Amino acid sequence: EAEVAQSPRYKITEKSQAVAFWCDPISGHATLYWYRQILGQGPELLVQFQDESVVDDSQLPKDRFSAERLKGVDSTLKIQPAELGDSAMYLCASSLVRVGAATDTQYFGPGTRLTVL
Amino acid sequence: AQKVTQAQTEISVVEKEDVTLDCVYETRDTTYYLFWYKQPPSGELVFLIRRNSFDEQNEISGRYSWNFQKSTSSFNFTITASQVVDSAVYFCALSEYQAGTALIFGKGTTLSVSS
């Protein structure tokens, strides 16, 4: 069964350092999402791609966060510099269909748990 | 604005008990989708069900069943004869009808099933 892959699974860093997370969606999935999940809360969207283009990054703190999906396949989310409040689970999800079609199910990866000290 | 409320923060049951997880949503859209996901301690979100706003039929899948009532904006999830492996955080989520829209999640309900 195809799965969304993410790495690393766990990351501990000190504040002001740079961190990067990687996501490989299910093969053929056009849409890719990055969500952030703070402990005790539901996930919230950070950024969404369709193929290599950003569809929605309105909730991405662009002063320190960046995301790319250069070839429309895998994606990287970066934080620089990391702050204490960035400690959270970062989840990647993908879905098959493109924006505008009938909605489709988002499938999630195992997540990267970030701890900023 | 869209919103999902899961009023039950934590529920504890003993194995074989039935348990219902509540979900109430708010949306101005006439067409939308509702979802339930399970998040075990390992962290990944496991898809359980998707239901569109046109279809108010209840659904059963093994020990799981879902009750969608548009009149009360609720989409409740029942586990029959709960098992220890059902212990997890369960999230209800809402999305617009068209594809490519983010999921709006509730805060989740932590279910603990003891033997």
Side-chain angles (χ1 to χ4, degrees):
Chain A
E1 183 176 311
E3 296 178 341
V4 176
Q6 288 189 250
S7 66
R9 292 293 307 276
Y10 304 92
K11 179 70 178 177
I12 299 174
T13 190
E14 294 186 346
K15 63 180 182 179
S16 79
Q17 296 298 303
V19 293
F21 314 132
W22 177 80
C23 171
D24 191 13
I26 294 172
S27 179
H29 279 199
T31 308
L32 183 148
Y33 309 79
W34 284 101
Y35 288 84
R36 178 169 62 183
Q37 183 182 16
I38 296 170
L39 190 64
Q41 303 289 320
E44 294 183 340
L45 181 75
L46 286 174
V47 62
Q48 176 189 336
F49 293 89
Q50 178 177 298
D51 301 315
E52 67 277 4
S53 300
V54 173
V55 173
D56 183 358
D57 63 356
S58 58
Q59 300 304 309
L60 189 70
K62 298 181 190 62
D63 57 335
R64 297 185 300 106
F65 285 65
S66 64
E68 60 184 16
R69 193 184 183 198
L70 292 177
K71 296 183 179 179
V73 181
D74 58 338
S75 174
T76 301
L77 177 69
K78 297 178 181 177
I79 309 175
Q80 181 174 18
E83 295 181 353
L84 296 178
D86 296 331
S87 294
M89 174 79 91
Y90 291 83
L91 292 160
C92 179
S94 69
S95 67
L96 179 63
V97 296
R98 288 179 164 74
V99 173
T103 200
D104 196 13
T105 298
Q106 295 180 28
Y107 295 94
F108 285 79
T112 296
R113 191 175 298 277
L114 173 66
T115 302
V116 181
L117 303 175
Chain B
Q2 297 181 319
K3 183 179 179 181
V4 175
T5 301
Q6 295 179 257
Q8 304 152 308
T9 305
E10 295 184 16
I11 301 176
S12 295
V13 299
V14 177
E15 243 184 341
K16 299 183 183 177
E17 282 186 33
D18 298 348
V19 57
T20 296
L21 310 181
D22 297 334
C23 173
V24 174
Y25 62 92
E26 297 174 29
T27 180
R28 293 182 179 178
D29 296 339
T30 55
T31 55
Y32 47 88
Y33 275 91
L34 294 163
F35 301 78
W36 276 94
Y37 284 85
K38 173 183 180 180
Q39 188 173 42
S42 57
E44 72 181 279
L45 284 165
V46 178
F47 166 73
L48 295 178
I49 191 172
R50 180 183 83 206
R51 173 55 51 88
N52 72 56
S53 54
F54 298 139
D55 183 3
E56 290 194 64
Q57 268 195 324
N58 291 335
E59 180 155 343
I60 298 174
S61 176
R63 296 184 298 108
Y64 296 170
S65 62
W66 291 270
N67 182 275
F68 175 33
Q69 292 197 342
K70 210 168 179 178
S71 60
T72 56
S73 297
S74 66
F75 186 43
N76 296 337
F77 172 31
T78 297
I79 302 175
T80 302
S82 58
Q83 300 176 1
V84 172
V85 294
D86 296 327
S87 297
V89 183
Y90 291 86
F91 289 95
C92 181
L94 169 70
S95 79
E96 294 179 15
Y97 193 70
Q98 68 171 12
T101 57
L103 294 170
I104 305 298
F105 286 88
K107 292 187 176 181
T109 297
T110 300
L111 175 64
S112 298
V113 183
S114 57
S115 57

